[in-house]
Amino acid sequence: MLPAELPYNGKSREDILRHARLLIGKRLADLYPKTVFTGASGKGGFGNHVEKYHFKYEPNSVSEPDFPDAGVELKTSPLRKSRRGHWKSKERLVLGLINYDGIVKEIFENSAFLKKNHHLLIIFYEHDGGASLPNLMVHLVGDWRYPDNDLAIIEKDWATIQSKVLAGRAHLLSEGDTVYLGASTKGSNAKSLRNQPFSDVKAMQRAFALKSRYVNFIIENFESGERPSGQTSPIFATDEKKRLATVGFDNLVVSRFDRYVGKSPRAIANANSLTINFQAKSAYANLTKGVLIGQLDAEIEEFRKAGITVRTIRIDYEGTPREAVSFPAFEYIELVKEEWEDSNLMADCAKLFIVVYQCANRIFDDKKLRLKGAFFWNTPVEDLEHARETWGKTREVINNGAIVSSVSGSRRRTNFPGAKGNPVVHVRPHGTTTADVYPLPVPDLVTGAFEYTKHSFWLNQKYLRRVIAESLPD
DNA sequence: GCATGATCATGC
DNA sequence: GCATGATCATGC
C-alpha cells in the first residue's frame, strides 16, 4: 500500500489519538466482531494487528514514523499487574534496531532514532499468554513526549552508545551503560551477530529501548494524567538539561559526593542539614537520598525512572566488604515465569549506585567509617552472564520442587546456588524469620510445603571487593 | 575465616 | 503487615 492511501495519513495528531483511544477497555474482537483476523501471532503480532485492523494500513518497517504527517510513531506494549494491583510494564519498549554503520555518522538532532521516536503513541495491553491476538485487552492509550531533562539524558545515552561503536566496542554494549535508553539485545543469541564498523569482532544485534522502569513512569503518567502519584523528587532542576546532555548524568551525580570523601556519615548528614536516625538499618540509604534530593520522605526520581538501585557498602581497612549485598526477595511464582531479558535480577544488576564507607581503623569499628567514594556500577556483559547462570539454576531448583536438601533442627540446607559456585551472584534467605514465606509453584519434595522462606539474589562479597577496587582505586 | 542461614529496624 | 536495606550468627 502506498503512503498516500493510508487512511490516517494527513490526519492530525489529535484525530489519530482519538481513534486510538477507541481501543481503551476493548479487545480488537469487540470492535471488529465480523472480522476474520489473520497474520502472524507471537512477538510484535499485536502491534501488526492494531495497524492492520484498527488503523487500516499494512505494517511496515520504514525509518519514518508510522504517521509521517503527524510525526507520531505507533507502539504497542504489554502490561502486567503487580501484586498490589498496579499496572507495570512487562518489558522494555523497543524503539528500533541500532544500525552500527549508520549511527557513527549521525548527530543526535538528525538521527534516525530521534526522527522516528520523538513522539510516541503508545497502546498498552494486558499480557495474556493464553489469549489470541484479537482477544488481548487494551487498558491504557496515550501520546508521549519526553520532558526536557529526560530527553537530555536520552541524548547522552544515545551518545554513549554511539561512542562505544566508534571505539570498536559494539560487542561490549550493555544495558547498564546508559540511564533511560538502553541498547537491548535483539534476537536470542549467537545467531544474531552483526558486523560493526571499527572492529572485526562481531557484535550482538541490539535495539534502542526505553528501559522497563522508564516505561513504568510513562504508565503512571497515562494513569494519573500528570506526574507519578508516588512521592518522588528530582536530583536535577529543569534548567540543567544542558549539563545533563554534555557532562552526563553519572558524572553529575558522582560529583555531588566528591566533596565529602573522607568525611563520616554524621558529618555528611550535618553538612546537608539532615536529621538521620543512625539506629535504623536504612540510615545510609537515607543519607544518600538526602545528599541527592535534600529530603528523606521521597524517592529519587531519576533513579526510579532508570531503575538504579542505591547500595551502601562498608569495607574494612584492607578494603574487604563486611557483607554481601542483597536485592529484594523474589517471588517464586513470578521468578519461574520471567524471561532473562526482562527479569528483575537483570534490571537490578544492570546499574547500581554504590556508596562506599571505609573503616579508618585496622580493627573494624562502625564509628570510624569515612566516605571512600561513590560510583555507578554498570555490570559488564560477561558478569551478567554469570548472574544469568545463578538465575537459571534457581528457577530449575524451584521448578523441580527441589529447594530443601536437608533439615537438621531449625536449620535447613538448600540446593540454591551458593557463592562458591558463581563468581558474581548467589542465593540466600531474605525474610524477617524462617516463617516469612512466599508461595511455591510446585510443592517442595522434602518438606511437602507449598511455600518457602523468602530468598533473594545477593552480590558476592568477593565480587564487590573487585568492583570497589576497580571503581575507587587508592 | 568464609559461606550460608537467619533475622533486624524502620517506615509506609 | 510487609517490603526494604542491612546486619548478625553459626557451622564447616
Side-chain angles (χ1 to χ4, degrees):
Chain A
M1 212 183 267
L2 294 168
E5 296 173 48
L6 294 179
Y8 283 85
N9 202 23
K11 292 265 171 81
S12 71
R13 192 168 56 79
E14 288 71 25
D15 288 340
I16 294 164
L17 187 58
R18 196 175 306 122
H19 186 65
R21 285 194 203 282
L22 296 176
L23 284 163
I24 295 176
K26 299 260 170 34
R27 307 166 307 152
L28 286 170
D30 299 327
L31 286 177
Y32 308 104
K34 290 177 187 158
T35 302
V36 179
F37 295 90
T38 59
S41 58
K43 292 201 171 180
F46 184 67
N48 290 341
H49 266 54
V50 169
E51 292 180 331
K52 197 165 153 185
Y53 297 108
H54 189 60
F55 285 101
K56 323 280 189 201
Y57 70 87
E58 289 297 321
N60 64 68
S61 55
V62 296
S63 57
E64 293 234 315
D66 293 314
F67 302 107
D69 292 343
V72 175
E73 171 74 2
L74 179 68
K75 288 285 161 197
T76 57
S77 190
L79 298 167
R80 62 180 178 82
K81 226 182 201 136
S82 75
R83 236 163 33 101
R84 292 174 178 179
H86 298 124
W87 289 122
K88 297 275 172 193
S89 80
K90 183 176 170 287
E91 53 199 52
R92 55 180 66 59
L93 182 60
V94 174
L95 300 179
L97 287 175
I98 302 172
N99 178 338
Y100 295 133
D101 295 318
I103 190 174
V104 295
K105 298 172 194 151
E106 293 179 328
I107 57 166
F108 182 72
E109 286 73 15
N110 299 319
S111 63
F113 165 79
L114 190 65
K115 234 176 251 175
K116 195 168 165 69
N117 297 301
H118 66 282
H119 195 153
L120 305 176
L121 167 56
I122 313 175
I123 295 170
F124 287 108
Y125 62 94
E126 183 173 2
H127 168 76
D128 181 348
S132 64
L133 299 177
N135 284 303
L136 290 171
M137 180 69 83
V138 172
H139 289 283
L140 295 166
V141 173
D143 66 327
W144 181 256
R145 265 178 296 188
Y146 312 90
D148 279 354
N149 274 8
D150 290 11
L151 192 59
I153 288 172
I154 286 169
E155 176 176 351
K156 183 71 179 172
D157 286 344
W158 182 92
T160 300
I161 293 167
Q162 183 196 45
S163 67
K164 220 159 179 176
V165 182
L166 279 166
R169 294 162 62 85
H171 54 293
L172 296 176
L173 279 168
S174 163
E175 292 239 343
D177 294 342
T178 52
V179 186
Y180 295 156
L181 184 70
S184 140
T185 56
K186 196 88 171 88
S188 46
N189 43 42
K191 271 183 275 178
S192 44
L193 290 176
R194 293 287 177 97
N195 289 322
Q196 54 173 316
F198 296 108
S199 168
D200 292 334
V201 184
K202 298 242 182 193
M204 281 272 269
Q205 177 177 241
R206 284 181 183 267
F208 292 111
L210 294 175
K211 298 187 184 188
S212 198
R213 309 290 166 100
Y214 192 86
V215 180
N216 282 337
F217 169 71
I218 297 176
I219 290 168
E220 286 166 14
N221 267 266
F222 281 11
E223 282 179 320
S224 64
E226 50 194 55
R227 301 234 124 197
S229 47
Q231 284 297 315
T232 65
S233 181
I235 304 170
F236 299 108
T238 46
D239 56 2
E240 296 197 75
K241 62 177 179 184
K242 196 106 195 172
R243 298 208 312 146
L244 282 168
T246 52
V247 182
F249 178 79
D250 292 18
N251 291 329
L252 287 173
V253 171
V254 169
S255 71
R256 296 249 180 135
F257 283 83
D258 286 346
R259 70 190 89 156
Y260 302 121
V261 169
K263 299 265 191 286
S264 72
R266 280 172 199 281
I268 299 171
N270 289 339
N272 287 274
S273 310
L274 298 166
T275 309
I276 299 230
N277 173 9
F278 279 99
Q279 308 288 0
K281 294 211 172 187
S282 54
Y284 295 116
N286 284 337
L287 182 55
T288 301
K289 192 189 278 186
V291 168
L292 290 179
I293 61 176
Q295 60 182 107
L296 305 180
D297 50 1
E299 268 189 83
I300 302 167
E301 184 170 314
E302 294 90 339
F303 280 20
R304 177 169 164 181
K305 278 149 77 172
I308 299 167
T309 42
V310 177
R311 285 297 185 271
T312 308
I313 302 174
R314 302 168 304 150
I315 60 176
D316 66 17
Y317 194 83
E318 305 291 335
T320 302
R322 295 293 286 174
E323 304 286 347
V325 152
S326 66
F327 295 122
F330 46 69
E331 295 189 49
Y332 300 106
I333 289 175
E334 297 301 319
L335 179 61
V336 297
K337 284 196 274 189
E338 283 181 343
E339 287 185 43
W340 170 247
E341 285 297 318
D342 295 303
S343 65
N344 282 302
L345 180 60
M346 163 98 175
D348 287 338
C349 290
K351 196 173 182 78
L352 294 123
F353 184 62
I354 297 176
V355 184
V356 180
Y357 292 93
Q358 184 162 33
C359 184
N361 282 8
R362 286 191 180 277
I363 296 170
F364 192 85
D365 179 355
D366 265 324
K367 294 189 187 71
K368 299 289 181 187
L369 290 175
R370 302 288 179 264
L371 180 68
K372 184 172 172 65
F375 61 94
F376 284 95
W377 178 250
N378 310 329
T379 305
V381 274
E382 61 269 29
D383 295 346
L384 280 176
E385 277 308 307
H386 288 303
R388 184 179 189 164
E389 288 162 24
T390 295
W391 175 84
K393 283 181 186 165
T394 305
R395 286 157 50 91
E396 207 176 298
V397 167
I398 298 167
N399 275 326
N400 292 338
I403 295 179
V404 180
S405 62
S406 67
V407 183
S408 59
S410 62
R411 284 181 97 79
R412 296 163 302 179
R413 302 191 69 80
T414 74
N415 291 312
F416 281 134
K420 275 184 184 161
N422 188 288
V424 179
V425 177
H426 65 279
V427 171
R428 296 244 295 280
H430 191 164
T432 312
T433 64
T434 51
D436 195 5
V437 296
Y438 275 136
L440 294 171
V442 290
D444 188 79
L445 291 170
V446 171
T447 64
F450 284 81
E451 55 191 25
Y452 196 67
T453 308
K454 290 176 185 172
H455 276 63
S456 70
F457 294 108
W458 297 66
L459 291 175
N460 294 1
Q461 234 163 318
K462 279 182 184 161
Y463 179 66
L464 292 170
R465 185 187 165 108
R466 204 188 90 208
V467 165
I468 293 167
E470 215 171 277
S471 307
L472 298 174
D474 288 312

